[in-house]
Amino acid sequence: MSDADDFAPHAGEDEKDTDEDRDKNGNEGKGRSRDAEGTEGTATGAGTGTGKGSTQDVGSAPDAESAGGSGNAGEAAGNAPAPRIPLPRVSVEDGGLPLPAPQEPAGPEPVRLEHPILKSLLGAWALAACSAEETDAVEMHLGDCGACADEARRLREAVGLLHRSESLDLDPALRTRVLDGCLERRPPRVPVPAWAASYDAETARLDALLQDFGDAEWHAPVRLRWFRGESATSRRTTVAGVIAHLLAVDGLIAVALGLDDPLDANAGAGEATEQPDAAGRPKSGTRTPAERTEAFWAGAHFPPTRSVRGPWREQTHALVRTVSFAGGGPGGMPVSYGGFELPLRDAMLDRAFECWVHAEDIAEAVDYPYAPPAPRHLHGMIDLAARMLPETLAARRRAGLASPARTRRPVTAGRPCRSLRLEIEGSGGGQWLIPLDSPVQPVRPGTGDPRGAAEPADDEVAHVAMDDVEFCRLAAGHVSPEEAAAGQVGDRDAIRDVLFAAASLSRM
């Protein structure tokens, strides 16, 4: 600030005093007023630039020009308000005032639809098929329209009846029931023999499982398991490799029936001119199932893919069709398995059993449920396994893997010998008396078997009870004899020998 500003208040006080003196003393007041006016002009010219005597006072004119530059500049500087420093703003929380309510963001305006349109949307609303905007519009309308609210309630109740709590997958036994019903009403012109019905059913079930498989499922890893000697063994392959294995082993029956051998179509040039064996059959037909499988896998230029399903499916149809046209006559025709032979009727049961077992392996690999066979088919498979136990037990004795027989000489047919009662529980079960000391003794049905009744044998030394599916898993090599859930009473050695013989029925 300038010195003139410091003297401005004193100039004001002098002006007041001069006015008072002027009222009291005329001429003396006039002189003082001139002096006060000159002083006011000097103060105003320096501070505000509005005094009349500012241009006449010699001492104050230069100060006025240096401060304001001109009369107008001095007037603008005099009218400008003095600068102020703002005080700190008081917070809302410290002021004691209520906080303002938060403003919610404005949402989209509700869809406004006419009554006919809203009524037509009730069905879609009940099925939860409306958009969010349509759902809001319908629900707002239901609060105002009683007729639409009643109809919406009825539609919601009807939707509840449409939904099922159980799985929507078809019942695996549906095909069997439908076919049985159709065949009862109208028998086929060329009926399938009873001993081939299980093979026809199991191959059809497996084919239905493979129908919707993609590339990922066809190449899913599968482990083939079986029992050899005293321990379990396995072989890793894929779903397509399993079907190739079934195709190769089913070729044993195809060769016996005079059909094309799948190994011939898959063999290389070196095997195309293979010489027949002494019986006039190709040597490929006398290979064991494992040898045929290895030969088929090795003969393919690439790993098996989904293309193997077509040849396997055609071969299963050809086998069923051939035995059906031949009637029940060829049921006793021998089928060579390399190391042993089975009659055709038992070979078809054996192939049906292996088809079911490997179908379960495939279903497990792709995490899909798979049901056991029909009870009558399951009973036939268990009966075949029970009838093969005496010969298998004798083979294990010859290899030193089972306890020796109690008699020095083999018991001939019709002579009494020790036996074990095998009781299989479940819809496909029954009872069988298994001879322990003679492979030529026939297996007899036990009490409770639907095929007939037999009194408890005097030479019965042990009793084993198992579930039907559990016994089949044991015979397939999927359960070890030590882990098989079996009720056991009697001779422990005899029980162990029979359980290990059942596991030895399995093969690749």
Side-chain angles (χ1 to χ4, degrees):
M1 296 176 66
S2 64
D3 295 339
D5 294 332
D6 295 336
F7 289 101
H10 300 285
E13 292 177 359
D14 293 342
E15 183 179 1
K16 183 178 180 180
D17 295 339
T18 304
D19 293 336
E20 291 177 355
D21 293 339
R22 188 175 52 192
D23 295 337
K24 295 179 181 180
N25 302 312
N27 295 330
E28 185 177 1
K30 292 179 181 180
R32 293 181 177 178
S33 67
R34 282 196 300 268
D35 296 336
E37 185 177 358
T39 305
E40 180 181 3
T42 303
T44 308
T48 63
T50 59
K52 294 179 181 181
S54 61
T55 59
Q56 299 176 0
D57 189 61
V58 178
S60 58
D63 296 335
E65 290 178 2
S66 62
S70 63
N72 295 334
E75 183 178 359
N79 293 334
R84 293 179 56 193
I85 299 176
L87 295 176
R89 182 173 298 175
V90 180
S91 175
V92 177
E93 291 84 353
D94 299 337
L97 298 176
L99 296 175
Q103 297 181 356
E104 297 182 358
E109 296 184 359
V111 179
R112 300 186 180 278
L113 302 174
E114 298 296 333
H115 181 271
I117 299 178
L118 292 171
K119 187 175 181 180
S120 65
L121 289 174
L122 292 180
W125 173 83
L127 292 171
C130 290
S131 63
E133 295 79 6
E134 293 173 343
T135 301
D136 294 339
V138 170
E139 291 178 352
M140 290 179 59
H141 176 69
L142 295 181
D144 300 333
C145 182
C148 290
D150 292 340
E151 185 175 355
R153 177 181 56 81
R154 290 192 299 268
L155 290 175
R156 270 291 171 90
E157 293 176 355
V159 170
L161 298 175
L162 295 177
H163 290 281
R164 300 174 57 187
S165 57
E166 63 270 11
S167 173
L168 296 179
D169 292 337
L170 293 177
D171 184 3
L174 178 61
R175 179 182 183 276
T176 302
R177 292 199 303 267
V178 172
L179 290 179
D180 290 345
C182 295
L183 294 177
E184 288 177 0
R185 292 173 176 265
R186 184 177 178 183
R189 219 176 262 182
V190 181
V192 177
W195 43 266
S198 58
Y199 178 80
D200 184 28
E202 293 308 312
T203 53
R205 289 208 303 154
L206 176 56
D207 185 56
L209 175 65
L210 302 174
Q211 183 175 359
D212 297 328
F213 275 15
D215 292 336
E217 287 83 4
W218 278 103
H219 295 286
V222 180
R223 186 165 292 277
L224 301 178
R225 297 168 289 173
W226 67 96
F227 197 82
R228 177 184 296 170
E230 295 290 326
S231 60
T233 185
S234 63
R235 173 70 184 273
R236 189 176 184 272
T237 183
T238 63
V239 171
V242 174
I243 302 303
H245 163 64
L246 293 176
L247 172 64
V249 182
D250 285 355
L252 292 170
I253 301 179
V255 171
L257 293 175
L259 302 177
D260 295 336
D261 188 352
L263 291 187
D264 294 341
N266 198 55
E271 296 183 1
T273 58
E274 188 179 40
Q275 298 297 325
D277 61 4
R281 295 171 298 189
K283 292 182 179 179
S284 60
T286 60
R287 292 173 177 173
T288 64
E291 293 172 349
R292 289 180 62 87
T293 301
E294 295 293 349
F296 190 92
W297 287 345
H301 298 288
F302 301 98
T305 60
R306 66 163 66 215
S307 61
V308 76
R309 180 194 173 204
W312 169 79
R313 190 168 183 264
E314 292 176 2
Q315 180 175 259
T316 59
H317 291 174
L319 293 179
V320 174
R321 183 169 55 251
T322 302
V323 298
S324 298
F325 278 105
M333 177 189 301
V335 177
S336 174
Y337 277 73
F340 63 96
E341 290 184 350
L342 287 177
L344 180 59
R345 60 171 59 91
D346 289 345
M348 296 294 284
L349 277 173
D350 172 77
R351 303 313 306 143
F353 175 77
E354 187 169 356
C355 182
W356 163 49
V357 170
H358 290 323
E360 278 198 337
D361 294 336
I362 294 173
E364 182 181 355
V366 299
D367 195 19
Y368 195 85
Y370 203 80
R376 67 177 183 276
H377 297 161
L378 188 61
H379 178 83
M381 299 173 189
I382 296 173
D383 179 71
L384 172 63
R387 289 187 285 111
M388 295 176 67
L389 282 177
E391 181 60 37
T392 306
L393 181 57
R396 288 181 60 84
R397 282 203 180 101
R398 290 191 295 267
L401 300 177
S403 60
R406 297 296 176 87
T407 59
R408 294 182 179 179
R409 296 179 180 179
V411 180
T412 58
R415 298 287 299 275
C417 67
R418 296 183 309 144
S419 62
L420 178 142
R421 180 178 296 274
L422 178 63
E423 181 180 357
I424 303 300
E425 302 171 346
S427 57
Q431 293 191 24
W432 292 264
L433 293 175
I434 310 299
L436 300 176
D437 300 326
S438 175
V440 297
Q441 287 279 11
V443 176
R444 296 173 293 167
T447 305
D449 193 297
R451 297 173 301 169
E455 296 295 332
D458 296 334
D459 52 5
E460 183 179 320
V461 297
H463 186 178
V464 174
M466 295 183 66
D467 178 71
D468 50 3
V469 177
E470 183 75 4
F471 177 77
C472 290
R473 295 186 189 280
L474 174 65
H478 287 196
V479 178
S480 65
E482 296 88 349
E483 298 175 353
Q488 307 173 8
V489 176
D491 191 338
R492 295 298 178 182
D493 292 337
I495 294 174
R496 181 186 182 279
D497 291 343
V498 170
L499 292 180
F500 271 82
S504 300
L505 294 173
S506 61
R507 59 182 178 273
M508 180 178 170

